[in-house]
Amino acid sequence: MNNILKQWMIFILIAFSTNPFYAQEMPELASLSRARLEPYKMEVTYNKTTHLLFPSPIRYVDLGSENLIANKAEDVGNVLRIKAGIKDFEEETNFSVITQDGKFYNFDVFYSSYPDTLTYDLLKLQKDDEKQLSTEVLLEDLKGESASLTELIMKTLYENPKSTIKHIGTKSFGIHFLLESLYTHEGKLCFVFNFKNKSNIPYHIDFLSFKIVDKKNLKRTVVQDKILTPLREYISTKNINHQSEEKAVYLLDQFTMLEDQVLEIEVFEKDGGRHHKIQIENTDLIHAKIVKDIHLKLQ
């Protein structure tokens, strides 16, 4: 009796599965093969360090295993040092890098006692290869704005010889600190500064501070200032040799001020006392030039 019942159950299941009304096709799973980002291939060793030079400062590094050791080079934002953490590891590993211009890079790594190359300059990559081996990510601090476009805008402003502001600056101890231009783009402000070292002693920029202060409190030592944090900076070097000059571009979220407030920008000398301070009025902010008025050097 049990065998007869089992046979009827099997027959019913087969009937339902072959009936087009009841049969359901299994949905095809979407393939990720077309979204594949081809990795770079490279070798590392234990006794020597490999250096990678990226087109933009490094924001993030993730190592695939403890077989690798990596860190950014000191005082250089776009150079990554990497080497094997143990000798003769056999398994392939990987690491990923995100740079300030929003590019994502992926690397497959193999161990070699005698690597063919110890220095890689990613600036030399052909654009076609870079499109295949890197992609762009959206960085939260830019609120969805393209990081590569932001980098291009800052680079263009850095190389632009024209100035839009003539009246804001200070000079002492042989150092001139000038606000050269002020631009606005998609809710951001770009400050273009010029540093001139007229002295015979090199000037090393430590950092710039941005804060909104009340005019009536400028002479007080303890005030409640609003500190503004730059989103990006673009500068070739912070070491300004004697009798030379350098430019810098700083990107901040757009803001305006009350009538009795000013923006105070101060540059600090590293291991020195030649600090300089300038003040920007609200009228200067609202007259910032629009970035679309300049010619971007699209590549």
Side-chain angles (χ1 to χ4, degrees):
M1 184 69 181
N2 288 335
N3 290 334
I4 296 175
L5 182 59
K6 288 181 181 180
Q7 291 176 359
W8 272 105
M9 291 294 294
I10 294 173
F11 174 79
I12 293 173
L13 290 173
I14 294 175
F16 273 99
S17 63
T18 56
N19 190 320
F21 181 79
Y22 292 101
Q24 296 182 359
E25 296 183 1
M26 290 293 293
E28 293 185 6
L29 297 177
S31 174
L32 287 174
S33 60
R34 290 193 300 171
R36 175 181 169 83
L37 180 65
E38 292 293 335
Y40 293 102
K41 307 290 185 181
M42 61 175 291
E43 298 174 332
V44 296
T45 190
Y46 183 79
N47 294 319
K48 294 182 180 180
T49 300
T50 299
H51 290 82
L52 292 96
L53 284 69
F54 290 88
S56 183
I58 298 165
R59 290 285 298 268
Y60 166 89
V61 178
D62 180 70
L63 303 179
S65 73
E66 296 180 354
N67 292 337
L68 299 178
I69 300 174
N71 55 32
K72 291 194 296 183
E74 295 180 4
D75 298 326
V76 183
N78 68 322
V79 178
L80 182 69
R81 300 184 297 195
I82 189 162
K83 63 186 301 184
I86 61 174
K87 288 184 177 181
D88 302 317
F89 66 81
E90 296 182 357
E91 294 183 356
E92 171 189 336
T93 185
N94 74 323
F95 70 95
S96 302
V97 175
I98 296 176
T99 52
Q100 186 168 285
D101 60 357
K103 293 293 181 61
F104 178 90
Y105 301 86
N106 189 29
F107 301 82
D108 282 348
V109 186
F110 307 85
Y111 186 90
S112 172
S113 299
Y114 304 99
D116 292 333
T117 305
L118 290 175
T119 303
Y120 296 90
D121 186 356
L122 276 72
L123 289 168
K124 294 182 178 180
L125 291 177
Q126 296 295 325
K127 291 184 176 60
D128 291 341
D129 292 338
E130 188 171 341
K131 288 178 181 178
Q132 294 178 5
L133 300 175
S134 69
T135 190
E136 184 168 357
V137 298
L138 298 179
L139 303 177
E140 288 185 355
D141 56 354
L142 293 180
K143 299 175 182 177
E145 184 71 16
S146 167
S148 58
L149 176 60
T150 300
E151 189 85 356
L152 175 60
I153 290 172
M154 297 181 71
K155 180 177 185 291
T156 303
L157 293 178
Y158 176 86
E159 296 175 348
N160 186 11
K162 296 181 180 180
S163 61
T164 63
I165 296 176
K166 306 288 187 181
H167 64 286
I168 300 177
T170 181
K171 56 182 179 180
S172 62
F173 306 112
I175 306 299
H176 296 203
F177 175 42
L178 310 170
L179 177 63
E180 189 173 273
S181 301
L182 181 58
Y183 284 87
T184 179
H185 175 74
E186 298 293 338
K188 305 289 188 297
L189 287 170
C190 292
F191 294 80
V192 184
F193 299 104
N194 184 281
F195 304 90
K196 295 181 180 179
N197 185 358
K198 298 292 186 179
S199 74
N200 293 326
I201 300 176
Y203 187 82
H204 187 161
I205 300 171
D206 192 3
F207 65 94
L208 272 68
S209 71
F210 296 76
K211 57 186 177 182
I212 298 175
V213 300
D214 293 335
K215 293 180 181 179
K216 61 183 178 181
N217 290 329
L218 291 178
K219 295 183 179 180
R220 293 176 56 181
T221 56
V222 180
V223 292
Q224 299 251 336
D225 301 329
K226 181 179 180 181
I227 306 298
L228 303 177
T229 303
L231 301 173
R232 295 284 189 280
E233 66 176 31
Y234 191 101
I235 184 172
S236 292
T237 177
K238 291 188 176 182
N239 292 307
I240 307 173
N241 291 325
H242 64 282
Q243 304 300 325
S244 64
E245 64 180 284
E246 178 59 63
K247 292 176 65 172
V249 182
Y250 282 77
L251 181 74
L252 281 80
D253 276 323
Q254 182 177 296
F255 64 93
T256 56
M257 300 177 292
L258 300 176
E259 186 176 353
D260 59 347
Q261 292 179 324
V262 293
L263 174 65
E264 191 174 271
I265 304 174
E266 191 168 4
V267 56
F268 293 85
E269 181 184 17
K270 187 174 183 179
D271 300 324
R274 292 179 291 178
H275 309 323
H276 290 72
K277 184 187 301 181
I278 60 176
Q279 294 172 0
I280 298 175
E281 302 279 347
N282 202 48
T283 52
D284 298 308
L285 293 178
I286 63 176
H287 287 99
K289 301 296 183 181
I290 300 176
V291 164
K292 71 177 183 180
D293 293 338
I294 65 174
H295 177 66
L296 294 179
K297 296 181 179 180
L298 297 174
Q299 302 182 9

